[in-house]
Amino acid sequence: MFTELLDLASRAMGGTVVSANDEFFADRENLINPHRPTFTLASFGHKGQIYDGWETRRRREPGHDHAIVRLGVPGVLRNIIIDTAFFTGNYPTEASVDGCFLPDYPAPEELEKAVWFPLIPRSELEGDTENSFPVPSGRLVTHVRLNIYPDGGVARLRVHGTPVVDPALVPDVFDLAAAEYGATVTDCSDRFYGSPSQLLLPGLASTMGEGWETKRRRDDGNDWVEVKLAAPGLPQLIELDTSHFKGNCPATAKVSALDGPVLLGPVRLQPDTRHRFRVTAERPVDAVRLDIHPDGGMARFRLYGTLPPQTRADLAARWTALQEG
């Protein structure tokens, strides 16, 4: 399902709203807030009702409003959500989304002159709704431009896709399980309290809610998550981070290659602790399974390693092919 794909525009992934032609009533930065929108009735500021979103003034001349977002990492997009949560009498009637590929770090004035291509055609929106649109383009995108017609408010912009990182920017040793390099969760036993995809996000979790947590087991089994790595690599170090999980930390954990041997464990875990373990692998690993016993929560999962020369060459070829569409 596309919602299990990474939100490449999210602030949690390093996305930013580069520019907007207007943000009179509510700030453009709210568009990429990773948390769900909120609303407090009759909460007024000096410009009117306070909204958790981006809202422009009422347009009195021809044209439309727009905001440009730099994705946290380049990627191939699969779906875009234009969320008008809590905007009922002041949402745009229509919207469209364009994309462009402009590497490095272009300034707003450079982006205004960029060659943009359509991702979502001009389409009707509903108020107080997660308006979802599939993206058929298979082109590599670094920035998206949200156009709203003619004006109004949008709470969140979610840009779901698959990261594709320039191999020239990948260090010799890096986190093979990092979402920002293209690692993804392919399956898991339980996601009752938190998505397993959060295990792979950049940075440290600031709360227990930013990790993966399962319900309490009442049987003899254990919970697990499977991760497809960013590329086949040779693991050197594994980090199991239980930060913020104190009364619900797993007792032990094990990490195995999906098509091969156990890489780590079982090892005992401590609550609210970043555990690091040296590991070795005789051949490249493409996917791993993390087993926790019996249940509980984990903030982050890291698997540091290196890439064989042929894998780097394959990634470089893919990077070039995707730029050509």
Side-chain angles (χ1 to χ4, degrees):
M1 188 176 179
F2 73 84
T3 52
E4 287 299 322
L5 294 173
L6 208 58
D7 178 7
L8 301 179
S10 172
R11 175 69 71 181
M13 282 300 299
T16 186
V17 185
V18 176
S19 65
N21 71 303
D22 186 282
E23 51 183 330
F24 185 86
F25 285 115
D27 295 341
R28 67 196 192 202
E29 282 81 10
N30 291 324
L31 282 172
I32 58 173
N33 187 327
H35 303 294
R36 295 184 64 86
T38 61
F39 180 77
T40 303
L41 185 64
S43 56
F44 290 93
H46 65 283
K47 291 185 179 180
Q49 171 67 45
I50 297 173
Y51 279 93
D52 183 9
W54 168 54
E55 186 183 5
T56 67
R57 74 192 76 203
R58 300 191 187 210
R59 179 172 283 275
R60 302 307 189 196
E61 64 282 332
H64 68 276
D65 294 324
H66 70 273
I68 295 177
V69 175
R70 177 182 58 77
L71 303 181
V73 290
V76 176
L77 311 187
R78 302 300 181 195
N79 198 89
I80 291 177
I81 292 176
I82 302 173
D83 186 355
T84 57
F86 305 110
F87 289 98
T88 53
N90 51 351
Y91 65 93
T93 55
E94 297 176 308
S96 65
V97 180
D98 303 316
C100 77
F101 177 80
L102 208 58
D104 300 323
Y105 310 98
E109 55 271 19
E110 295 173 294
L111 286 165
E112 293 289 349
K113 300 175 183 178
V115 177
W116 295 86
F117 48 86
L119 297 172
I120 299 173
R122 186 164 172 169
S123 306
E124 291 186 3
L125 297 181
E126 294 184 12
D128 198 22
T129 300
E130 291 186 351
N131 297 272
S132 180
F133 303 94
V135 179
S137 172
R139 299 176 65 175
L140 194 59
V141 177
T142 57
H143 298 75
V144 295
R145 181 173 61 194
L146 170 63
N147 307 295
I148 58 173
Y149 305 91
D151 53 39
V154 174
R156 298 288 188 270
L157 179 68
R158 305 300 190 200
V159 182
H160 296 284
T162 303
V164 182
V165 179
D166 182 353
L169 301 179
V170 176
D172 292 338
V173 179
F174 71 104
D175 182 6
L176 297 166
E180 61 186 317
Y181 290 116
T184 58
V185 169
T186 55
D187 200 3
C188 76
S189 61
D190 184 281
R191 61 189 74 210
F192 189 84
Y193 287 113
S195 170
S197 296
Q198 297 192 127
L199 288 170
L200 315 183
L201 291 180
L204 301 175
S206 59
T207 67
M208 193 167 61
E210 294 181 5
W212 170 52
E213 184 182 2
T214 69
K215 66 172 73 74
R216 301 187 188 211
R217 295 194 74 96
R218 305 304 188 190
D219 55 26
D220 295 329
N222 72 278
D223 289 315
W224 51 269
V225 58
E226 293 178 355
V227 177
K228 180 175 175 56
L229 301 180
L234 295 166
Q236 295 181 355
L237 185 143
I238 290 175
E239 179 177 309
L240 306 175
D241 182 0
T242 61
S243 293
H244 310 295
F245 291 94
K246 300 174 182 178
N248 48 0
C249 167
T252 63
K254 180 177 71 173
V255 179
S256 309
L258 277 187
D259 60 349
V262 173
L263 299 174
L264 174 68
V267 292
R268 187 180 63 172
L269 299 182
Q270 297 293 338
D272 197 25
T273 300
R274 295 174 67 189
H275 310 76
R276 296 184 179 92
F277 306 94
R278 280 282 186 181
V279 298
T280 57
E282 296 181 355
R283 58 186 178 86
V285 174
D286 181 58
V288 297
R289 170 168 161 148
L290 166 64
D291 283 273
I292 60 173
H293 296 266
D295 55 30
M298 189 168 293
R300 294 289 187 265
F301 170 66
R302 310 295 191 204
L303 193 153
Y304 296 93
T306 61
L307 295 180
Q310 184 57 52
T311 300
R312 281 193 175 271
D314 293 342
L315 291 177
R318 180 171 182 250
W319 172 257
T320 300
L322 286 172
Q323 290 181 53
E324 299 171 352

